[in-house]
Amino acid sequence: MMSRRRIPGKLWMLTLCLLLTLSACGPHPKDDVQIVVASSDTLEQQVVGKMTVLALQEAGYDVVDRSGMGSPWMVRAALEAGNVDVCWDYTGDAWTVHLGHDYPISDAGELFAKVCDEDILNEITWLSPCDWQHRMSLVVQRSFAEEHGLATLGDLAHHVNDVDPDVTLCAPRELYDTAHGVRGMERVYGFRFKEQKVRFFSMREGYEALTKGECDCALGLSVDATLMREDLYLLEDDRKFFQASNLAPVARTSVLRKAPGVEPVLVDLSAALTEDMMREIHQRAVIEEQDPAAVARRMLREYGM
Protein backbone atom coordinates (compact mmCIF):
# COMPACT_ATOMS: atom_id res chain seq x y z
CA MET A 1 0.00 0.00 0.00
CA MET A 2 2.79 2.40 0.92
CA SER A 3 4.73 1.75 -2.31
CA ARG A 4 1.58 2.20 -4.41
CA ARG A 5 1.01 5.63 -2.81
CA ARG A 6 4.61 6.77 -3.53
CA ILE A 7 4.63 5.89 -7.24
CA PRO A 8 2.49 8.87 -8.43
CA GLY A 9 4.70 11.25 -6.46
CA LYS A 10 7.84 9.84 -8.04
CA LEU A 11 6.32 10.07 -11.48
CA TRP A 12 5.35 13.68 -10.86
CA MET A 13 8.89 14.55 -9.75
CA LEU A 14 10.41 12.79 -12.77
CA THR A 15 8.01 14.62 -15.08
CA LEU A 16 8.85 17.96 -13.49
CA CYS A 17 12.61 17.34 -13.83
CA LEU A 18 12.13 16.34 -17.46
CA LEU A 19 10.14 19.49 -18.20
CA LEU A 20 12.76 21.67 -16.51
CA THR A 21 15.54 19.97 -18.48
CA LEU A 22 13.73 20.41 -21.79
CA SER A 23 12.95 24.02 -20.93
CA ALA A 24 16.61 24.71 -20.21
CA CYS A 25 17.56 23.27 -23.61
CA GLY A 26 15.06 25.44 -25.46
CA PRO A 27 15.81 28.89 -26.93
CA HIS A 28 16.08 31.60 -24.29
CA PRO A 29 17.13 35.16 -25.18
CA LYS A 30 20.35 35.84 -23.28
CA ASP A 31 19.85 38.24 -20.38
CA ASP A 32 16.19 38.53 -21.51
CA VAL A 33 17.15 41.65 -23.48
CA GLN A 34 16.25 42.37 -27.08
CA ILE A 35 19.11 44.08 -28.95
CA VAL A 36 18.35 46.42 -31.84
CA VAL A 37 21.29 46.59 -34.26
CA ALA A 38 21.32 49.29 -36.93
CA SER A 39 23.65 50.51 -39.64
CA SER A 40 23.64 53.21 -42.27
CA ASP A 41 22.81 52.35 -45.87
CA THR A 42 26.38 52.28 -47.21
CA LEU A 43 27.45 48.84 -48.39
CA GLU A 44 30.33 48.69 -45.91
CA GLN A 45 28.03 49.50 -43.00
CA GLN A 46 25.39 47.04 -44.16
CA VAL A 47 27.92 44.20 -44.17
CA VAL A 48 29.31 45.12 -40.73
CA GLY A 49 25.76 45.51 -39.41
CA LYS A 50 24.78 42.05 -40.66
CA MET A 51 27.94 40.57 -39.13
CA THR A 52 27.00 42.14 -35.79
CA VAL A 53 23.48 40.72 -35.97
CA LEU A 54 24.79 37.22 -36.71
CA ALA A 55 27.47 37.38 -33.99
CA LEU A 56 24.99 38.48 -31.31
CA GLN A 57 22.46 35.84 -32.41
CA GLU A 58 25.19 33.20 -32.19
CA ALA A 59 25.87 34.41 -28.64
CA GLY A 60 22.22 33.75 -27.78
CA TYR A 61 20.66 37.20 -28.00
CA ASP A 62 17.30 38.13 -29.45
CA VAL A 63 18.33 40.63 -32.14
CA VAL A 64 16.31 43.03 -34.26
CA ASP A 65 18.07 43.69 -37.57
CA ARG A 66 17.85 47.28 -38.80
CA SER A 67 21.00 47.33 -40.87
CA GLY A 68 20.74 49.67 -43.85
CA MET A 69 18.17 51.87 -42.11
CA GLY A 70 19.31 55.17 -43.67
CA SER A 71 21.93 57.88 -43.45
CA PRO A 72 24.55 57.96 -40.65
CA TRP A 73 22.67 60.92 -39.20
CA MET A 74 19.47 58.84 -38.99
CA VAL A 75 21.27 56.00 -37.22
CA ARG A 76 22.85 58.36 -34.72
CA ALA A 77 19.52 60.09 -34.04
CA ALA A 78 17.87 56.71 -33.43
CA LEU A 79 20.71 55.72 -31.08
CA GLU A 80 20.34 58.92 -29.06
CA ALA A 81 16.56 58.46 -28.92
CA GLY A 82 16.92 54.91 -27.57
CA ASN A 83 15.40 53.27 -30.66
CA VAL A 84 18.71 51.64 -31.59
CA ASP A 85 20.99 49.81 -29.16
CA VAL A 86 24.12 48.98 -31.19
CA CYS A 87 25.71 50.43 -34.32
CA TRP A 88 29.15 51.15 -35.81
CA ASP A 89 30.51 54.61 -36.42
CA TYR A 90 33.70 56.47 -37.28
CA THR A 91 35.28 58.52 -34.50
CA GLY A 92 36.02 61.42 -36.86
CA ASP A 93 32.41 61.62 -38.04
CA ALA A 94 31.21 61.53 -34.45
CA TRP A 95 33.57 64.35 -33.44
CA THR A 96 32.77 66.79 -36.24
CA VAL A 97 29.21 65.83 -37.24
CA HIS A 98 27.44 64.31 -34.25
CA LEU A 99 29.25 66.21 -31.50
CA GLY A 100 29.58 69.41 -33.53
CA HIS A 101 33.28 70.27 -33.20
CA ASP A 102 34.79 72.42 -35.94
CA TYR A 103 38.47 71.54 -35.48
CA PRO A 104 40.07 68.23 -36.55
CA ILE A 105 42.19 65.97 -34.34
CA SER A 106 44.80 64.06 -36.32
CA ASP A 107 45.92 61.72 -33.49
CA ALA A 108 43.67 58.64 -33.51
CA GLY A 109 44.15 57.79 -29.82
CA GLU A 110 43.47 61.32 -28.63
CA LEU A 111 40.37 61.55 -30.81
CA PHE A 112 38.96 58.24 -29.52
CA ALA A 113 39.48 59.31 -25.90
CA LYS A 114 37.76 62.67 -26.46
CA VAL A 115 34.79 61.07 -28.25
CA CYS A 116 34.43 58.50 -25.46
CA ASP A 117 34.54 61.13 -22.72
CA GLU A 118 31.99 63.36 -24.40
CA ASP A 119 29.56 60.68 -25.56
CA ILE A 120 29.40 58.96 -22.18
CA LEU A 121 27.42 62.02 -21.08
CA ASN A 122 24.90 61.08 -23.79
CA GLU A 123 24.66 57.55 -22.30
CA ILE A 124 26.55 56.24 -25.34
CA THR A 125 29.59 53.98 -24.95
CA TRP A 126 32.33 53.56 -27.53
CA LEU A 127 34.10 50.19 -27.46
CA SER A 128 37.54 49.21 -28.78
CA PRO A 129 38.02 50.53 -32.33
CA CYS A 130 39.23 48.31 -35.15
CA ASP A 131 42.31 49.25 -37.13
CA TRP A 132 40.23 50.27 -40.17
CA GLN A 133 40.78 53.99 -40.43
CA HIS A 134 39.74 56.55 -42.99
CA ARG A 135 41.21 59.95 -43.60
CA MET A 136 40.32 62.57 -46.14
CA SER A 137 42.81 63.88 -48.65
CA LEU A 138 42.86 64.95 -52.28
CA VAL A 139 42.82 62.43 -55.10
CA VAL A 140 44.38 63.04 -58.51
CA GLN A 141 44.83 60.97 -61.62
CA ARG A 142 48.08 59.04 -61.39
CA SER A 143 49.19 60.46 -64.75
CA PHE A 144 48.62 64.00 -63.43
CA ALA A 145 50.68 63.25 -60.31
CA GLU A 146 53.53 61.75 -62.33
CA GLU A 147 53.52 64.60 -64.87
CA HIS A 148 53.82 67.30 -62.17
CA GLY A 149 55.79 65.38 -59.53
CA LEU A 150 52.97 65.33 -56.95
CA ALA A 151 53.10 62.96 -54.00
CA THR A 152 51.80 65.10 -51.12
CA LEU A 153 49.39 67.92 -50.44
CA GLY A 154 52.46 70.08 -49.89
CA ASP A 155 53.51 69.33 -53.47
CA LEU A 156 50.07 70.32 -54.71
CA ALA A 157 50.19 73.58 -52.74
CA HIS A 158 53.51 74.44 -54.42
CA HIS A 159 52.05 73.55 -57.82
CA VAL A 160 49.00 75.80 -57.35
CA ASN A 161 51.03 78.71 -55.95
CA ASP A 162 53.97 78.62 -58.36
CA VAL A 163 52.96 76.70 -61.49
CA ASP A 164 49.22 76.56 -62.22
CA PRO A 165 46.76 78.62 -60.17
CA ASP A 166 43.85 77.29 -62.24
CA VAL A 167 43.83 73.76 -60.83
CA THR A 168 40.21 72.59 -60.57
CA LEU A 169 38.69 70.84 -57.55
CA CYS A 170 35.65 68.60 -57.11
CA ALA A 171 34.34 68.37 -53.54
CA PRO A 172 31.09 67.94 -51.56
CA ARG A 173 29.62 71.34 -50.77
CA GLU A 174 29.28 70.51 -47.05
CA LEU A 175 33.03 69.79 -46.84
CA TYR A 176 34.18 72.86 -48.72
CA ASP A 177 33.74 75.95 -46.57
CA THR A 178 34.56 74.34 -43.20
CA ALA A 179 37.49 74.41 -40.78
CA HIS A 180 37.92 70.63 -41.03
CA GLY A 181 37.44 70.54 -44.81
CA VAL A 182 38.88 72.28 -47.87
CA ARG A 183 39.10 75.77 -46.34
CA GLY A 184 40.96 74.50 -43.30
CA MET A 185 43.33 72.51 -45.52
CA GLU A 186 44.05 75.60 -47.63
CA ARG A 187 44.95 77.61 -44.52
CA VAL A 188 47.30 74.93 -43.20
CA TYR A 189 49.04 74.36 -46.53
CA GLY A 190 49.10 78.01 -47.59
CA PHE A 191 47.30 77.95 -50.93
CA ARG A 192 43.81 78.48 -52.26
CA PHE A 193 41.69 77.15 -55.09
CA LYS A 194 39.98 79.82 -57.16
CA GLU A 195 36.27 79.77 -56.35
CA GLN A 196 35.34 79.56 -60.04
CA LYS A 197 37.52 76.45 -60.30
CA VAL A 198 35.60 74.54 -57.62
CA ARG A 199 32.78 72.19 -58.62
CA PHE A 200 30.44 70.63 -56.10
CA PHE A 201 29.84 66.89 -56.29
CA SER A 202 29.42 64.07 -53.83
CA MET A 203 32.63 62.12 -53.28
CA ARG A 204 31.56 59.33 -55.60
CA GLU A 205 30.51 61.81 -58.29
CA GLY A 206 33.81 63.60 -57.75
CA TYR A 207 35.76 60.41 -58.49
CA GLU A 208 33.79 59.95 -61.70
CA ALA A 209 34.38 63.58 -62.73
CA LEU A 210 38.09 63.13 -61.99
CA THR A 211 38.40 60.08 -64.23
CA LYS A 212 36.56 61.94 -67.01
CA GLY A 213 38.97 64.86 -66.77
CA GLU A 214 36.32 67.30 -65.51
CA CYS A 215 38.51 68.28 -62.56
CA ASP A 216 42.19 67.98 -61.65
CA CYS A 217 41.69 66.75 -58.09
CA ALA A 218 38.84 65.60 -55.86
CA LEU A 219 38.26 65.31 -52.14
CA GLY A 220 38.28 61.63 -51.21
CA LEU A 221 38.68 59.04 -48.46
CA SER A 222 41.65 56.77 -47.97
CA VAL A 223 39.42 53.69 -47.56
CA ASP A 224 37.16 54.26 -50.52
CA ALA A 225 37.14 51.21 -52.77
CA THR A 226 37.22 53.50 -55.78
CA LEU A 227 40.75 54.53 -54.78
CA MET A 228 41.93 50.99 -55.46
CA ARG A 229 41.83 51.88 -59.14
CA GLU A 230 45.32 51.98 -60.54
CA ASP A 231 44.70 55.26 -62.36
CA LEU A 232 43.88 57.22 -59.19
CA TYR A 233 46.35 58.42 -56.56
CA LEU A 234 45.68 59.68 -53.04
CA LEU A 235 48.05 62.50 -52.09
CA GLU A 236 49.75 62.13 -48.71
CA ASP A 237 48.56 64.53 -46.02
CA ASP A 238 52.17 65.40 -45.07
CA ARG A 239 51.17 68.04 -42.48
CA LYS A 240 48.61 65.72 -40.86
CA PHE A 241 45.76 68.19 -41.22
CA PHE A 242 42.88 65.87 -41.92
CA GLN A 243 41.27 64.09 -39.04
CA ALA A 244 41.92 60.53 -37.96
CA SER A 245 38.79 58.40 -37.99
CA ASN A 246 38.56 54.79 -36.82
CA LEU A 247 35.59 52.48 -37.15
CA ALA A 248 34.31 51.30 -33.76
CA PRO A 249 31.25 49.63 -32.20
CA VAL A 250 28.94 51.97 -30.31
CA ALA A 251 26.22 50.98 -27.85
CA ARG A 252 23.77 52.54 -25.45
CA THR A 253 25.31 52.41 -21.99
CA SER A 254 22.09 51.17 -20.38
CA VAL A 255 21.99 48.17 -22.72
CA LEU A 256 25.56 47.19 -21.82
CA ARG A 257 24.56 47.31 -18.15
CA LYS A 258 21.51 45.10 -18.73
CA ALA A 259 23.33 42.71 -21.07
CA PRO A 260 27.03 42.63 -20.10
CA GLY A 261 27.66 39.79 -22.52
CA VAL A 262 27.14 42.12 -25.48
CA GLU A 263 30.39 44.01 -24.93
CA PRO A 264 32.80 41.06 -25.39
CA VAL A 265 30.99 40.03 -28.58
CA LEU A 266 31.42 43.51 -30.05
CA VAL A 267 35.03 43.79 -28.87
CA ASP A 268 35.90 40.42 -30.45
CA LEU A 269 34.23 41.43 -33.71
CA SER A 270 36.09 44.74 -33.73
CA ALA A 271 39.41 42.92 -33.28
CA ALA A 272 38.52 40.63 -36.18
CA LEU A 273 37.77 43.54 -38.53
CA THR A 274 41.35 43.95 -39.67
CA GLU A 275 42.39 46.10 -42.60
CA ASP A 276 42.65 42.97 -44.77
CA MET A 277 39.12 41.88 -43.90
CA MET A 278 37.67 45.34 -44.47
CA ARG A 279 39.35 45.59 -47.86
CA GLU A 280 37.89 42.20 -48.74
CA ILE A 281 34.45 43.41 -47.63
CA HIS A 282 34.83 46.45 -49.88
CA GLN A 283 35.97 44.25 -52.76
CA ARG A 284 33.02 41.89 -52.50
CA ALA A 285 30.23 44.28 -51.51
CA VAL A 286 31.21 47.48 -53.33
CA ILE A 287 33.17 46.42 -56.39
CA GLU A 288 31.67 42.97 -57.06
CA GLU A 289 28.21 44.09 -55.78
CA GLN A 290 27.57 40.91 -53.81
CA ASP A 291 24.64 40.82 -51.39
CA PRO A 292 25.69 42.37 -48.02
CA ALA A 293 24.05 39.60 -45.98
CA ALA A 294 25.83 36.90 -48.00
CA VAL A 295 29.16 38.74 -47.64
CA ALA A 296 28.63 39.00 -43.87
CA ARG A 297 27.97 35.27 -43.49
CA ARG A 298 30.94 34.41 -45.68
CA MET A 299 33.28 36.70 -43.74
CA LEU A 300 32.27 35.23 -40.39
CA ARG A 301 32.69 31.70 -41.70
CA GLU A 302 35.98 32.22 -43.54
CA TYR A 303 37.58 34.06 -40.62
CA GLY A 304 36.49 31.44 -38.10
CA MET A 305 33.98 33.57 -36.22
Side-chain angles (χ1 to χ4, degrees), residues 268-288:
D268 287 347
L269 184 56
S270 181
L273 289 173
T274 62
E275 186 170 337
D276 287 343
M277 180 190 279
M278 292 300 296
R279 289 196 181 280
E280 191 167 352
I281 287 173
H282 273 237
Q283 175 68 31
R284 294 184 178 186
V286 179
I287 297 178
E288 298 176 7

Side-chain angles (χ1 to χ4, degrees), residues 55-296:
L56 287 171
Q57 287 176 339
E58 181 69 16
Y61 288 98
D62 178 16
V63 184
V64 177
D65 182 1
R66 291 186 182 169
S67 51
M69 72 177 295
S71 68
W73 179 89
M74 290 177 61
V75 176
R76 172 70 185 206
L79 181 70
E80 291 181 352
N83 298 322
V84 164
D85 300 318
V86 173
C87 65
W88 291 74
D89 206 349
Y90 281 96
T91 54
D93 296 342
W95 181 250
T96 57
V97 179
H98 306 320
L99 298 176
H101 296 283
D102 62 358
Y103 61 94
I105 299 175
S106 61
D107 183 87
E110 178 187 356
L111 176 62
F112 182 74
K114 285 184 177 294
V115 169
C116 287
D117 289 345
E118 191 159 332
D119 244 352
I120 201 68
L121 301 177
N122 298 320
E123 282 290 298
I124 293 173
T125 298
W126 287 73
L127 302 174
S128 301
C130 64
D131 64 1
W132 184 241
Q133 183 182 110
H134 75 199
R135 289 177 183 263
M136 283 194 297
S137 189
L138 294 183
V139 188
V140 297
Q141 288 201 41
R142 188 170 295 275
S143 58
F144 183 83
E146 291 173 351
E147 178 184 355
H148 300 290
L150 306 179
T152 68
L153 291 178
D155 294 337
L156 180 65
H158 170 73
H159 181 75
V160 173
N161 287 332
D162 300 333
V163 180
D164 183 8
D166 292 324
V167 171
T168 54
L169 169 71
C170 290
R173 185 179 294 274
E174 66 272 15
L175 293 174
Y176 174 64
D177 197 18
T178 63
H180 62 275
V182 174
R183 286 300 192 206
M185 177 198 68
E186 290 174 332
R187 284 194 292 272
V188 168
Y189 281 93
F191 78 106
R192 191 164 187 134
F193 293 103
K194 292 182 178 179
E195 290 190 7
Q196 63 269 30
K197 296 296 181 180
V198 178
R199 298 175 182 177
F200 296 113
F201 293 103
S202 69
M203 282 193 181
R204 186 162 298 280
E205 292 169 340
Y207 300 146
E208 294 173 359
L210 182 62
T211 58
K212 293 176 182 177
E214 297 175 8
C215 53
D216 297 316
C217 56
L219 194 65
L221 291 172
S222 60
V223 299
D224 199 302
T226 312
L227 300 184
M228 296 178 189
R229 296 169 53 111
E230 292 184 357
D231 58 340
L232 297 183
Y233 182 79
L234 185 76
L235 296 175
E236 180 189 349
D237 180 11
D238 47 321
R239 296 188 183 178
K240 306 300 182 188
F241 163 74
F242 284 111
Q243 182 151 269
S245 194
N246 285 79
L247 184 65
V250 188
R252 290 199 300 123
T253 307
S254 59
V255 170
L256 295 180
R257 284 196 292 262
K258 293 177 184 176
V262 168
E263 181 172 344
V265 174
L266 297 177
V267 169
D268 287 347
L269 184 56
S270 181
L273 289 173
T274 62
E275 186 170 337
D276 287 343
M277 180 190 279
M278 292 300 296
R279 289 196 181 280
E280 191 167 352
I281 287 173
H282 273 237
Q283 175 68 31
R284 294 184 178 186
V286 179
I287 297 178
E288 298 176 7
E289 299 182 347
Q290 297 181 23
D291 176 63
V295 174

